[in-house]
DNA sequence: AATAGTGTGTAGTACCTGATACACAATGTC
DNA sequence: GACATTGTGTATCAGGTACTACACACTATT
């Protein structure tokens, strides 16, 4: 889908490869469990969708944040979607309201919720 | 996908139909823009996926909440997904943290954010 | 009794998702 | 020079998504 994901992980992978030959496209593909030719297409942004599972495996292998990589490939984590679907009216409302908040305001909310003030 | 959506809207539609014959399956299908036979399958929970667009049209026609109907058919509104994808790490974190909050606590958050305390 | 309207069964369609399998040329390594 | 490894091109595929089109039997309406 999104053209951003492929080039992004290609760059990350090649950076790692410079210090560690275990990060060749073929080796990564093998560890992740996909065909090298398919990962090649993915990295070049050709139409080659990856499942959430494979994206997660790549994020582990490359040491990247899974939710970021999912976002770059146009997805939202299945567990987050499920949380929303359990209380759709409530959660969609708060998410839409938070859209325009600056990062630091959202972060403050995260902390306050985590610290059990609610 | 989800078997809950179909029977749910069938019940709602038939309730409306009792007071207004404009809510026959065929009439609703026509207003919504799908074939009656397809809506029939949908309402009986047979494998007949609906696009977000059609689900929204049904929600308008039946006077139901769109986000609820989307959730019942296993979806999350595209605009909400896009908000999350723009700041994936921040938003997935706060959503996961809010999972265990009771409704009234989330509601309080909604109000405080809306009232510009942030 | 004819007509209109109701819900449903069956078949078919086009495109998307998420891949595999194999071949190939270029580059690196022994 | 042989062998291994690298990235990529092409073909193919099964299943899911999101529908249409038409026929049919049954029930209301006029």
């Amino acid at each position: 889908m999104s053209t951003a994901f492929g080039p992004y992980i290609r760059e990350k992978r090649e950076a790692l490869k410079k210090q560690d030959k275990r990060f060749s496209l073929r080796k990564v593909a093998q560890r992740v469990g996909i065909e090298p030719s398919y990962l090649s297409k993915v990295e070049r942004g050709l139409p080659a969708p990856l499942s959430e599972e494979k994206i997660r495996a790549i994020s582990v292998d490359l040491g990247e944040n899974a939710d970021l990589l999912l976002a770059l490939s146009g997805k939202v984590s299945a567990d987050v979607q499920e949380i929303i679907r359990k209380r759709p009216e409530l959660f969609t409302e708060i998410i839409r309201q938070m859209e325009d908040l600056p990062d630091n305001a959202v972060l403050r909310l995260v902390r306050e919720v985590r610290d059990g003030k609610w």
Side-chain angles (χ1 to χ4, degrees), chain A residues 39-67:
Chain A
L39 181 55
S40 172
K41 289 185 74 177
V42 168
E43 288 196 353
R44 283 173 294 144
L46 303 182
L50 277 183
S51 65
E52 176 164 342
E53 192 195 341
K54 306 293 185 183
I55 294 170
R56 286 192 182 283
I58 289 176
S59 79
V60 169
D61 202 78
L62 302 186
E64 292 284 314
N65 180 281
D67 292 305

Side-chain angles (χ1 to χ4, degrees), chain A residues 59-101:
Chain A
S59 79
V60 169
D61 202 78
L62 302 186
E64 292 284 314
N65 180 281
D67 292 305
L68 173 62
L69 294 194
L70 285 168
L72 287 175
S73 55
K75 309 204 180 204
V76 171
S77 179
D79 76 293
V80 168
Q81 293 200 44
E82 217 195 313
I83 293 170
I84 296 169
R85 284 200 307 267
K86 280 181 187 159
R87 289 185 282 176
E89 303 176 52
L90 214 47
F91 275 81
T92 59
E93 190 181 356
I94 197 167
I95 291 164
R96 290 194 183 101
Q97 300 236 352
M98 291 191 300
E99 180 175 12
D100 298 318
L101 291 188

